[in-house]
Amino acid sequence: MPEATTAITAPRDLRRVLYERLFMLACLLAIIFGILALLALIYGILRDGLTRLDWEFITSFPSRRASSAGIYSALAGTLWMMALVALFTVPIGVLSAIYLEEFAPKNRLTSLIQVNIANLAGVPSIVYGLLGLAIFVRMLEPITSGQAFGFANTSGRSILSGSLTMSLLILPMVITACQEALRAVPQSHRHAALALGSTCWEAVRHQVLPAALPGMLTSVILGLSRAIGETAPLITIGALTYVAFVPRSPFDGFTVLPIQIFNWASRPQAPFHENAAAGIIVLMVVLLLFNSAAIAFRVIARRRLGM
Amino acid sequence: MWRERVVRAITFLCALVSIGTTLGIIYVLVSESVQFFAEVSPFEFFGGTRWAPRFSPPQFGVLPLLNGTLLVAVGAGAVSIPLGLLAGVYLSEYASRRTRNLLKPILELLAGVPTVVYGFFAITFITPLLQRVFPDLPIFNALSAAVVVGVMTFPIVASLSEDALSAVPRELREGGMAMGATRGEVIRRIVIPGALSGVMSAFLLALSRAVGETMAVTLAAGADPKVTLSFFTSIQTMSAYIVQASLGDTPHGTIEYQTIFAVGLTLFVITLAMNFIAAKLVGRYRQRYA
């Protein structure tokens, strides 16, 4: 095409072509920035933490001496909290989603609940910490400290308070994702069940829920992995930073991995930074396991729904 | 039928938990703040330029904390908004399906990294790197905090603006191409303006995340509340103050205990306003191309 060639070599068009290339290059560089940031993050953490990470680190309690300190109590606290957060968020999250998707009438209250959930998802996590401090730690202290159940020497700054706070924090995210899982179930499933004479709940219970289950599991796991990494709200409710025991009941004081990491990272000495980096490796491995599980369930969900 | 009703009632009660959460947040923040403002006048709080609740006499001007928060948010936006938008453009307009499927998990990974990890990354990697460029940079500084929060909010801008850009109908692009515009010209003159409200809402959501961000800023920026426009000095943000006060001993009922709620209320109102505007903007572009 001789005409096209002459057109493109005209000086004005040359500039256009150059500009075109530069713009695309800028876009490419922007995405490369993201990749480099992730690589730098991983490199920085492995560089500082890999030499420090061993079995003893995982099975030791924190200590004033960096070289003998470990994450045993933090890991135990994280596991305790995960179990309790799952216990609270699974039923409440799933049932809320069922109400909003399957039962709720189209009225102002329903749209208010929906808008409210969207807003809650944008509230900074530290504000949830303030909520937990005033309600769970102070107001409900007899319950969250276990004193109402005969436990002594405990306070409201317990695993139970932390788990309740964290549950409220991840609920908006879990509910929204569970709603999407329910929405992905074809309407024909419901119609078939209703046509055979089942009630609305029976259709949900026997047709919709089984189909939506893998998708809901994905939502819950992603919510939990958010809770594992959160730090600020737990510091606000007064989780401890130095814990030399493994919690034995939900009413005990506790620390979690991110708080332990924060504690070490905020000290000036380099050996503690190595501890923080090693703790981060453990935290990231836990998160990676959770996310892999979430992805696996997502694949199952897509396959089951024929997507 | 009674079973059906019971189930409905139970699910309804669960859905009400979210309303209860909002009411709880508002009640807690307002009731403690009311006690705070009974002792400290709102004029001193919103007009004072010194924040020193532990000094005697204590000073409760929130402006230094607000200044620190906005400084970090603006600096973070300067990193994440242009880079995130360009990355969003790349994902939506240039990348093949395969490249996109490869790149998106990387963004998800970046978005899933806990904030305390970003804080560690800031003090052990970004600050030393910046100190090579600016030898006078103190260990704790607003610049490092802004950069790390920028990295943290980059995936938010990138994936939300990708969503907005790919919602622009194909015909608009084809029309532009047919008029002889290059791909870049179509993107800059047609696609981005067409997705503007969605893109703006992505920016706002990223900024609101930056305003509420806590752990990375606490670790990287220091604990030195001051009114300044300089990135090369240590500062303190509202959220970082709440963490600092919570780590110390703040007995219930004291004025110091109440300060964290007054600061929390300020933070809550700012982020709520930003999220509200962002949601309005998203609604607008959904309506246009629905």
Side-chain angles (χ1 to χ4, degrees), chain A residues 222 291 295 298, chain B residues 103-113 155 159:
Chain A
L222 288 179
N291 283 313
I295 291 168
R298 196 188 290 165
Chain B
L103 290 174
K104 288 208 91 168
I106 294 180
L107 288 185
E108 276 172 32
L109 269 177
L110 264 181
V113 172
S159 68

Side-chain angles (χ1 to χ4, degrees), chain A residues 16-17 19-20 23-24 26-31 33-35 37-38 40-45 47-48 91-93 95-96 98-100 102-104 109 112-113 116-117 119-128 130-131 133-135 138-139 157 168 171 175 199-202 225 228-232 235-239 241 258-259 261-262 265-266 272-274 276-277 280 283-284 287-288 291 295 298, chain B residues 1 3-4 7-8 10-12 14-22 24-25 27-29 32 79 82-84 86-91 94 103 106-110 112-121 123-125 140 150-151 154 158 180-185 187-188 192 208 211-215 218-219 239-240 242-243 246-247 250-252 257 260-261 263-265 267-268 271-272 275-276 279:
Chain A
R16 267 176 88 194
V17 170
Y19 209 56
E20 177 73 17
F23 182 69
M24 190 180 156
C27 294
L28 190 64
L29 285 178
I31 200 91
F33 164 81
I35 300 172
L38 187 65
L41 188 84
I42 294 170
Y43 163 76
I45 288 157
R47 177 196 64 186
D48 293 351
I92 297 180
L95 291 175
S96 302
I98 289 177
Y99 176 76
L100 290 168
E102 310 289 335
F103 295 149
L109 179 64
L112 179 76
I113 296 177
N116 177 54
I117 289 173
N119 274 329
L120 278 178
V123 173
S125 61
I126 191 136
V127 172
Y128 284 92
L130 295 175
L131 174 72
L133 175 64
I135 303 285
R138 301 272 171 220
M139 210 181 268
R157 304 173 186 274
L168 293 184
L171 262 176
I175 294 173
T199 63
C200 206
W201 165 240
E202 282 164 350
S225 73
I228 296 179
E230 272 295 345
T231 324
I235 292 182
T236 313
I237 68 156
T241 47
I259 292 185
I261 292 166
F262 168 71
S266 59
F272 281 110
H273 283 182
E274 285 169 22
I280 288 173
L283 179 67
M284 298 285 266
L287 284 177
L288 226 51
N291 283 313
I295 291 168
R298 196 188 290 165
Chain B
M1 273 325 272
R3 212 164 131 190
E4 182 88 8
V7 170
R8 267 173 200 256
I10 291 173
T11 59
F12 177 64
C14 286
L16 284 186
V17 169
S18 71
I19 300 278
T21 308
T22 304
I25 289 175
Y27 167 74
V28 163
L29 293 180
E32 294 286 345
V79 174
L83 286 174
L86 287 175
V89 167
Y90 186 81
L91 287 172
Y94 290 115
L103 290 174
I106 294 180
L107 288 185
E108 276 172 32
L109 269 177
L110 264 181
V113 172
T115 64
V116 68
V117 176
Y118 277 113
F120 179 79
F121 180 57
I123 50 177
T124 59
F125 195 93
F140 299 112
V151 173
F154 163 81
T182 64
R183 216 165 170 177
E185 285 163 353
I187 293 167
R188 289 191 304 273
I192 294 179
S208 129
V211 165
E213 165 41 43
T214 310
M215 296 319 293
T218 306
L219 278 169
S239 52
I242 298 176
V243 166
S246 308
L247 283 171
T250 43
H252 179 228
Y257 179 82
I260 62 176
F261 290 91
V263 172
L265 181 63
L267 184 65
F268 176 71
T271 52
L272 194 68
N275 294 340
F276 181 75

Side-chain angles (χ1 to χ4, degrees), chain A residues 45-114:
Chain A
I45 288 157
L46 292 181
R47 177 196 64 186
D48 293 351
L50 215 48
T51 50
R52 185 66 187 84
L53 190 64
D54 52 22
W55 190 245
E56 214 188 307
F57 179 72
I58 293 174
T59 54
S60 301
F61 285 108
S63 158
R64 224 178 303 166
R65 285 199 7 247
S67 56
S68 54
I71 53 167
Y72 192 52
S73 49
L75 204 55
T78 291
L79 292 178
W80 259 106
M81 233 189 51
M82 277 314 89
L84 288 178
V85 170
L87 192 71
F88 299 133
T89 48
V90 169
I92 297 180
V94 170
L95 291 175
S96 302
I98 289 177
Y99 176 76
L100 290 168
E101 279 306 304
E102 310 289 335
F103 295 149
K106 270 205 169 2
N107 60 18
R108 283 173 72 180
L109 179 64
T110 305
S111 63
L112 179 76
I113 296 177
Q114 203 72 72

